[in-house]
Amino acid sequence: MLIFEQAAALVFDPYVLGVILASAIFGMLVGAIPGLTATMATALLVPMTFFMDPVPAIAAIVTATAMAIFAGDIPAALLRMPGTPSSAAYVDDAYKMTQSGRGDEALGAALVFSAIGGLFGSIVLMTLAPALAEVALRFSSEEYFWLVLLGLSCAVFVTPSSPTRGLISLLFGLFVATIGMENPSGEPRFSFGNLELMAGIQFIPAMIGLFAISEILRTVTATIPRQKIPRSDGHGIFKTQWKNLKKYPVQTVRGNITGTALGILPGAGADIAAWISYAISKRFSKTPEKFGTGHVEGLVEAGASNNSAVSGAWIPALVFGIPGDSITAIVIGVLYIKGINPGPTIFINDPQTVYAIFMVFILANLIMLPLGWLAIRGARPMLSIPPSTLMPMILIFCIVGAFAIANSTAGIVMMLIFGIIGFFMEENDIPIAPAILGMVLGPMLEQNFITSMIKADGDIFRFFERPIAGGLGVFTILIWTLPLVMLLLRRRKQARLAT
């Protein structure tokens, strides 16, 4: 009990509370700008943490991260321009809800279920950290290979129209991921001697181009005036969420569990969690045909998943010093700088700091609700700005975001090229979301495949020898083959009836 009192004294200090509030506002602003991700928000905070004690330093990062993950949904719903990669999973549903006058409901769902997911992940972090981290440590390259393939299978499920077009988009994304020298062999591929291409295609400029720039081009070239989006009264932000919670309790719980489980796995993170949860939601939905047309069910599950993954990623970081994602990789560096060594001994040597971090997680997800409500209300006037004024402003933010990744104009050029590609893809009904998925997971797929084959000396059956890997492999193959088997059975039944 004394440890809890010491931790509470550390967290509820006026200075720490002020840092949490300032970091929350900062995270909201960064997350709402396309291209400025939660990882960037964390990186920008690091220099400021040098002058802070450990608890306020970690509190700043935790709060900014949670806010940025949610805030990415604001431009996704209002402008069809995801602020963070995790928002790209359900951007079509969110934007189409806004077009039909249900923007407050879409953003309210993102806000409320992100907070629920964050609180669930925080509770798991507090109660089951050591046990769950041990499970995560059993994952080797074989398990990650099947997990990535399972994630890539989502391309079929998140495609609202033709699975074939979704596959084309996915293959394009995987091809983009092969460009450059960032591969196991270190050989330049598809770079044609260009130094910028040797470094690979930067993901954030590509994502900004595919979503934001293509949307700007579509607005500029539209022969039919852009549809006027109805403005709502703001009461739907929270009003409809109790109904959604009662209607989709299974989806909420499933999203929480999926996000936390994937967050625990090093390298997975909120982006993959959102994609997989959205795909699971569509796969098991009673109305899968509504996904991609402005349906809130996918937002509920994926929204709960992405923030619970943020909390889950701290489990291996705190217990074993293994980063669960890029954000916790930065956090581990900050902890070492502060003289706190993450690992099993942290619970013995600095228990009050650990429990203070737990309290910060709870507090950050609670204050997300009022601050998120203010952010949504403040962002709504964007809908009334004429496109001729709004689009140049968005273009400036996009250029800043693309340039800020590596302080290079190459990011801006890549953004514009991918914007043109995204424009022509959507003009031909080829969805963009699977391409983003391919770019995210492509490097992980190749890295884990090559590593596994080297360890197995070329034996392909090594992917099934370990119990967890074998289970994931069988499950993934069943997901691939089951739709084909069902299609063949349907056709045979139709042929039998015809005769």
Side-chain angles (χ1 to χ4, degrees), residues 56-329:
I58 300 302
I61 293 174
V62 168
T63 309
T65 303
M67 300 301 163
I69 293 290
F70 154 70
D73 296 336
I74 296 176
L78 299 182
L79 303 169
R80 199 178 173 270
M81 299 174 185
T84 56
S86 59
S87 305
Y90 42 87
V91 60
D92 287 331
D93 274 312
Y95 183 64
K96 286 179 181 177
M97 287 179 70
T98 301
Q99 284 183 311
S100 62
R102 297 164 58 211
D104 282 340
E105 182 185 352
L107 286 170
L111 172 60
V112 170
F113 290 96
S114 288
I116 291 173
L119 289 170
F120 178 87
S122 301
I123 292 169
V124 173
L125 173 64
M126 293 167 61
T127 55
L128 301 177
L132 289 176
E134 284 184 16
V135 175
L137 284 179
R138 295 179 185 174
F139 273 61
S140 185
S141 56
E142 292 87 0
E143 286 81 5
Y144 280 113
F145 171 77
W146 288 117
L147 188 66
V148 171
L149 276 184
L150 192 61
L152 290 173
S153 305
C154 297
V156 177
F157 297 124
V158 301
T159 303
S161 54
S162 166
T164 304
R165 288 192 173 96
L167 187 59
I168 292 170
S169 179
L170 175 67
L171 291 174
F172 168 70
L174 289 172
F175 165 72
V176 170
T178 64
I179 296 174
M181 298 176 64
E182 296 294 324
N183 57 75
S185 66
E187 288 290 323
R189 296 185 302 198
F190 306 111
S191 59
F192 308 105
N194 185 288
L195 290 177
E196 298 292 349
L197 288 178
M198 283 185 184
I201 301 296
Q202 297 169 355
F203 171 68
I204 296 300
M207 188 190 78
I208 296 172
L210 287 171
F211 280 106
I213 301 301
S214 64
E215 187 70 21
I216 292 171
L217 289 174
R218 192 160 37 255
T219 301
V220 171
T221 59
T223 54
I224 301 172
R226 189 182 179 95
Q227 176 187 344
K228 187 173 181 179
I229 298 175
R231 292 192 63 179
S232 51
D233 56 10
H235 296 308
I237 296 176
F238 292 119
K239 185 178 180 181
T240 55
Q241 301 321 314
W242 178 244
K243 182 179 71 175
N244 286 332
L245 185 59
K246 289 195 295 184
K247 189 175 182 180
Y248 302 116
V250 174
Q251 288 83 347
T252 304
V253 173
R254 194 166 56 201
N256 290 336
I257 295 172
T258 302
T260 305
L262 289 172
I264 294 167
L265 303 177
D271 303 344
I272 297 175
W275 286 97
I276 290 181
S277 288
Y278 183 82
I280 290 172
S281 184
K282 182 177 180 181
R283 176 66 183 83
F284 294 102
S285 173
K286 295 178 181 177
T287 55
E289 69 282 355
K290 292 183 179 180
F291 280 67
T293 64
H295 190 45
V296 76
E297 185 176 351
L299 271 73
V300 167
E301 187 154 348
S305 180
N306 55 21
N307 258 38
S308 60
V310 172
S311 303
W314 280 71
I315 293 174
L318 283 178
V319 178
F320 293 100
I322 298 173
D325 57 9
S326 56
I327 294 168
T328 47

Side-chain angles (χ1 to χ4, degrees), residues 7 11 16 44 74 143 186 252 291 341 367 388:
V11 173
V16 176
L44 291 172
I74 296 176
E143 286 81 5
T252 304
F291 280 67
N341 298 331
I367 67 170
S388 58

